[in-house]
Amino acid sequence: MTNLKGLIGTQIKAIRKAKGLSQQDVADRVAENTGQMGFSKSRISEIETGKQNTTLETLETLEMIIKALGVKPVEFFDFKKIIEEDRENEIMDKSLLLDCHYSMLKERELDEVKYVVKTTKELFKTMDGKKKKN
């Protein structure tokens, strides 16, 4: 899964859940707004999990989903909430998770980043020491 595809899927899921919508609700809204019969819950699920490609060919589909979620495009593409909130359990792709943390660190001061790196190294030393004992 590409990072953008993962972020888009995670964003759709986060907004949908925050608004108390089911995947079927979103699919129904897309169908209502566009007259596209057959837009299904499974298609929403595939987009959320990154199985459905959201390329330029399906950009229109993404626009329909954004409208169905009732948010503006600028709100939809603001991934800070995903990055800031504790969504490690929802983000299953290692590369995506690393990119999210990179984005967080990129906005911090150099001394804060150095502190995080130093702390992380110490944590890894502790974890590696425990592994060797076992």
Side-chain angles (χ1 to χ4, degrees):
M1 176 184 332
T2 65
N3 291 342
L4 182 58
K5 193 165 41 167
L7 281 170
I8 288 171
T10 301
Q11 185 77 319
I12 290 169
K13 184 176 183 178
I15 293 169
R16 177 179 61 74
K17 285 185 168 188
K19 291 185 171 268
L21 299 171
S22 69
Q23 290 174 336
Q24 187 63 54
D25 294 332
V26 175
D28 291 344
R29 286 181 177 191
V30 170
E32 271 178 35
N33 292 340
T34 63
Q36 266 193 343
M37 300 314 280
F39 199 93
S40 66
K41 170 188 177 277
S42 63
R43 188 162 179 199
I44 298 296
S45 175
E46 288 176 350
I47 293 170
E48 286 183 357
T49 58
K51 293 176 185 168
Q52 172 78 35
N53 197 0
T54 51
T55 62
L56 287 177
E57 295 171 7
T58 59
L59 191 55
E60 192 173 294
T61 300
L62 182 58
E63 186 177 2
M64 291 183 291
I65 293 170
I66 291 170
K67 285 180 184 177
L69 291 169
V71 295
K72 296 176 183 168
V74 71
E75 294 172 279
F76 181 82
F77 288 103
D78 180 6
F79 298 120
K80 284 187 178 185
K81 285 185 180 178
I82 292 174
I83 293 167
E84 291 171 356
E85 292 178 10
D86 182 22
R87 297 201 180 276
E88 284 83 6
N89 293 329
E90 291 183 26
I91 301 175
M92 302 304 287
D93 181 75
K94 181 179 178 179
S95 179
L96 176 59
L97 191 58
L98 290 170
D99 284 349
C100 288
H101 283 85
Y102 169 77
S103 294
M104 278 191 302
L105 290 171
K106 186 171 65 172
E107 296 177 12
R108 306 305 293 203
E109 296 295 324
L110 179 60
D111 61 326
E112 293 173 320
V113 174
K114 285 180 179 180
Y115 177 77
V116 169
V117 169
K118 180 182 173 186
T119 304
T120 303
K121 284 180 182 178
E122 292 300 317
L123 175 64
F124 287 155
K125 280 183 192 176
T126 301
M127 291 169 62
D128 292 343
K130 288 182 179 181
K131 285 180 186 176
K132 288 179 183 178
K133 289 180 182 179
N134 294 334

